[in-house]
Amino acid sequence: MTKKICLVLGSGGSKGLAHLGVIKALVDSGFEITQIVGTSAGALIGGLYAANPDCNYLEKIIKDIGYLKLLDMLVDWPIKSGLMRGKKMEKFLDKICDKKKIENLPIPFKAVCTDLVKGEKFVFTQGKLSTAIRASCAIPALFSPVKLGGKILIDGGALNPVPVSEVIQKKDEKIVAVGLYSKVFPKSYDKLSKANLTRIAFVAMQVMVRQLSKNNLEKADIKILPLVDDINVLNFVKTKNYVQIGYDTTMKLVPKINKLFD
């Protein structure tokens, strides 16, 4: 019997590299990933895998990214709505996913965003994959929002950091959800008491996102919580070892996942 997994990948900035390790472990253990739903970093890793289901290919791309390449990939002229416009990021994504559209991907995929016009979630189920990923990853104050069809789209983590609710589960499928906020708290009292207003605002947002994540994770059949440190949300270079953490965490849970199919 094929063991089919609906995979939900949560937000978490650079911590999201752990998602690739989770995917790699599930595939190595004989599970079939039949659909992927992602928010923010989860949309990035999940979308790229859905476009090209090859963990080795994605891991090579990650290993090849150094600080200069990361800077060149992300930074363009600052504008009022965000530090980075995100167009370079979209161009980079187009290159590695061959400008694929969501509706044509080998694995069904959804990317969750937040629409600031209506104050509600918006889910990409079709259209250009790179645009969907860019919108879902548009962290406020870092990336400019994506304007599309009368919508102003930002990071999906603001409303649905682990979007289990977007899975359309079939009878023989199980939902596996990955959350990346289990090691965010507690903070250092000494450091936080001296933090500036921007840092305080960011930590306040983390409180909200972690609580939303916990609530959503409870709706999955299995939750995977890699213990990844909370560092700079864009520091993909320093967090390359998170792929291995995601892999090891998932492998420990494989017996429990297998029992779901008994």
Side-chain angles (χ1 to χ4, degrees), residues 11-253:
S11 62
S14 58
K15 296 191 294 294
L17 292 185
H19 289 317
L20 179 55
V22 172
I23 293 171
K24 190 175 179 182
L26 290 172
V27 172
D28 285 353
S29 300
F31 298 103
E32 178 188 352
I33 299 173
T34 54
Q35 61 177 292
I36 302 174
V37 182
T39 291
S40 195
L44 171 63
I45 300 299
L48 292 180
Y49 183 77
N52 186 353
D54 183 341
C55 291
N56 292 330
Y57 171 72
L58 293 183
E59 201 163 7
K60 184 179 184 305
I61 290 172
I62 289 168
K63 286 180 178 178
D64 287 345
I65 294 177
Y67 284 107
L68 289 178
K69 188 169 183 178
L70 184 66
L71 192 69
D72 181 64
M73 185 174 74
L74 295 177
V75 178
D76 40 19
W77 292 108
I79 59 176
K80 291 181 181 179
S81 58
L83 177 64
M84 293 165 273
R85 286 180 291 180
K87 294 203 172 181
K88 278 192 172 184
M89 175 186 176
E90 188 167 339
K91 187 176 180 180
F92 173 77
L93 293 172
D94 270 336
K95 183 178 179 181
I96 61 177
C97 65
D98 298 322
K99 297 184 179 181
K100 289 180 180 177
K101 291 189 174 182
I102 293 172
E103 58 267 37
N104 297 328
L105 299 181
I107 299 174
F109 172 73
K110 295 178 182 177
V112 179
C113 309
T114 302
D115 177 15
L116 294 181
V117 174
K118 292 186 176 180
E120 61 187 29
K121 70 181 178 185
F122 175 77
V123 183
F124 278 93
T125 57
Q126 59 183 10
K128 203 164 76 160
L129 176 62
S130 59
T131 302
I133 293 174
R134 177 188 162 198
S136 187
C137 291
I139 302 168
L142 287 179
F143 288 100
S144 300
V146 173
K147 298 174 183 177
L148 185 71
K151 299 174 179 61
I152 298 178
L153 302 173
I154 65 163
D155 193 308
L159 281 179
N160 205 345
V162 187
V164 178
S165 58
E166 300 308 315
V167 172
I168 300 176
Q169 185 181 16
K170 295 179 182 177
K171 187 177 180 180
D172 58 342
E173 296 175 329
K174 303 300 178 183
I175 300 175
V176 173
V178 186
L180 301 175
Y181 281 85
S182 58
K183 205 176 177 182
V184 170
F185 295 96
K187 303 287 188 185
S188 164
Y189 173 83
D190 290 337
K191 289 182 180 179
L192 201 56
S193 64
K194 299 171 185 175
N196 58 29
L197 289 176
T198 302
R199 177 62 180 165
I200 294 295
F202 179 73
V203 174
M205 181 198 72
Q206 285 187 315
V207 173
M208 176 191 71
V209 170
R210 187 180 73 153
Q211 189 57 49
L212 287 172
S213 296
K214 287 173 67 176
N215 293 342
N216 291 343
L217 283 163
E218 294 304 319
K219 302 171 186 175
D221 294 304
I222 291 284
K223 55 185 175 184
I224 298 175
L225 306 173
L227 293 176
V228 286
D229 290 319
D230 185 38
I231 66 172
N232 187 306
V233 294
L234 296 180
N235 200 338
F236 286 95
V237 177
K238 191 174 180 180
T239 59
K240 289 177 183 179
N241 65 312
Y242 287 3
V243 177
Q244 189 64 44
I245 293 174
Y247 185 90
D248 293 342
T249 302
T250 305
M251 291 303 289
K252 290 177 183 177
L253 289 170

